[in-house]
């Protein structure tokens, strides 16, 4: 019992230390955003002596936050919707097909998750440029292509536990493929669907590399891209840069706080069932 308590105590201490190390950069950003221009140089790493909120309105206006926010929301929402629809239907078809082709396609999706975007980004962006499919539309299609493999993998694992007898009973009642899937099967996949939404939304929202290659019109910048240009313009004014960085973090933090309880449940269901 003593060895077990000692081990448990060490694990708790290690967890606390790792949590503090992980949270410290965010705390520095938060403290810096609440400091004046003079204090951020005299007291860069600790709690501000005088709190100020004046940095946020100025950063909000300077970085054109509203336009960048709407761009990110639109691209993320459409990308997530398409990924959920297509990946869930693809996983349903693969899970119900008892053939070597479906097995090969499934394992191909699993393998493609390991392919880094950097290895294909130059020919892909060049191809999309030749067919005049860049900016928002091209970014959404690329998100659909790169994020679908993981989503299919999760949906497939969950669907393998749904008995085929449900499909057969619905089919005997006169239901077609789409009615069976959307009215009977898809509601059962709620935990996995929420997990896919959260993971995909976070990745699309925070992505900088792909938008930097695809978006070439200033009014279409996403938040990470707008933040990059804003940070480069205001590197001397660190209080504004850190305030803008904190503003860019807030939406995805709120999303994660409200939906975090579904992540472990959905990932576990997709991986083990």
């Amino acid at each position: 019992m003593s060895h077990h308590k000692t081990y448990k105590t060490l694990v708790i201490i290690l967890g606390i230390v790792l949590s503090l190390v992980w949270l410290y950069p965010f705390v520095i950003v938060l403290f810096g955003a609440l400091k004046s221009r003079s204090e951020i140089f005299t007291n860069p790493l600790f709690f501000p002596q005088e709190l100020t909120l004046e940095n946020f309105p100025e950063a909000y206006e300077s970085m054109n936050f509203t336009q960048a926010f709407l761009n990110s929301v639109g691209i993320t929402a459409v990308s997530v919707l398409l990924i959920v629809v297509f990946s869930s239907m693809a996983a349903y078809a693969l899970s119900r097909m008892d053939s070597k082709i479906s097995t090969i396609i499934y394992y191909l999706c699993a393998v493609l998750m390991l392919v880094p975007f950097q290895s294909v980004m130059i020919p892909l962006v060049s191809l999309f440029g030749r067919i005049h499919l860049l900016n928002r539309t091209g970014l959404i299609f690329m998100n659909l292509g790169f994020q679908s493999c993981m989503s299919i993998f999760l949906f497939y694992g969950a669907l393998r536990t749904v008995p085929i007898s449900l499909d057969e009973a619905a089919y005997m009642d006169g239901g077609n493929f789409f009615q069976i899937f959307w009215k009977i099967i898809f509601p059962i996949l709620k935990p996995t669907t929420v997990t896919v939404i959260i993971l995909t939304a976070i990745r699309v929202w925070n992505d900088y590399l792909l938008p930097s290659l695809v978006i070439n019109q200033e009014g279409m910048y996403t938040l990470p891209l707008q933040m990059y240009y804003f940070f480069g313009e205001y590197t001397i004014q660190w209080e504004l840069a850190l305030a803008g960085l904190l503003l860019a973090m807030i939406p995805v933090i709120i999303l994660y706080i409200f939906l975090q309880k579904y992540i472990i449940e959905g990932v576990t269901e997709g991986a083990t069932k």
Side-chain angles (χ1 to χ4, degrees):
M1 290 295 294
S2 61
H3 290 294
H4 178 71
K5 290 182 179 179
T6 302
Y7 175 77
K8 186 176 180 180
T9 303
L10 291 176
V11 170
I12 293 174
I13 294 174
L14 179 60
I16 294 174
V17 172
L18 292 176
S19 300
L20 293 175
V21 171
W22 184 85
L23 287 173
Y24 187 66
F26 175 77
V27 173
I28 293 299
V29 173
L30 176 61
F31 287 172
L34 297 174
K35 294 177 183 178
S36 62
R37 185 173 303 177
S38 58
E39 187 181 356
I40 202 169
F41 290 102
T42 59
N43 179 29
L45 301 179
F46 300 101
F47 193 83
Q49 298 176 356
E50 295 182 5
L51 297 177
T52 178
L53 298 176
E54 297 178 357
N55 299 325
F56 293 97
E58 188 174 352
Y60 185 96
E61 183 178 354
S62 299
M63 71 182 293
N64 195 14
F65 185 87
T66 301
Q67 183 64 51
F69 176 80
L70 293 177
N71 290 336
S72 288
V73 168
I75 291 171
T76 302
V78 175
S79 299
V80 169
L81 177 62
L82 292 177
I83 289 168
V84 169
V85 170
F86 283 102
S87 61
S88 60
M89 294 182 67
Y92 177 65
L94 292 175
S95 65
R96 294 303 186 257
M97 291 173 57
D98 188 14
S99 65
K100 293 182 179 180
I101 295 178
S102 63
T103 304
I104 292 174
I105 295 175
Y106 168 71
Y107 283 110
L108 182 62
C109 290
V111 171
L112 288 176
M113 289 192 298
L114 306 176
V115 177
F117 167 71
Q118 292 81 356
S119 62
V120 297
M121 64 181 182
I122 295 178
L124 184 64
V125 174
S126 176
L127 174 62
F128 272 68
R130 290 180 181 178
I131 60 177
H132 306 287
L133 199 60
L134 294 176
N135 294 307
R136 293 171 185 166
T137 305
L139 183 58
I140 290 172
F141 276 110
M142 290 187 187
N143 286 330
L144 176 62
F146 283 105
Q147 305 293 337
S148 293
C149 290
M150 182 193 68
S151 303
I152 291 174
F153 182 79
L154 293 175
F155 276 120
Y156 183 90
L159 282 163
R160 293 292 290 179
T161 63
V162 178
I164 300 180
S165 58
L166 288 177
D167 306 53
E168 296 173 345
Y171 181 76
M172 294 296 294
D173 291 336
N176 56 39
F177 175 85
F178 292 99
Q179 291 174 334
I180 294 172
F181 177 71
W182 291 113
K183 294 183 179 181
I184 299 175
I185 304 300
F186 189 74
I188 302 175
L189 304 175
K190 180 180 178 181
T192 304
T193 302
V194 175
T195 302
V196 169
I197 291 174
I198 295 172
L199 297 179
T200 304
I202 291 176
R203 292 185 66 178
V204 173
W205 183 275
N206 291 331
D207 188 22
Y208 164 76
L209 179 58
L210 189 55
S212 68
L213 296 172
V214 177
I215 297 179
N216 53 26
Q217 295 184 16
E218 185 174 351
M220 296 185 180
Y221 289 164
T222 61
L223 266 179
L225 197 57
Q226 184 68 40
M227 192 64 234
Y228 170 78
Y229 291 114
F230 175 79
F231 200 89
E233 184 179 355
Y234 289 88
T235 48
I236 298 178
Q237 297 175 300
W238 284 94
E239 73 285 356
L240 296 183
L242 295 177
L245 185 61
L246 188 62
L247 287 174
M249 294 180 187
I250 290 175
V252 71
I253 292 176
I254 293 175
L255 175 68
Y256 182 81
I257 289 175
F258 279 99
L259 300 178
Q260 62 174 326
K261 64 179 181 180
Y262 295 102
I263 291 182
I264 296 177
E265 180 182 357
V267 171
T268 304
E269 178 179 315
T272 61
K273 285 189 175 181

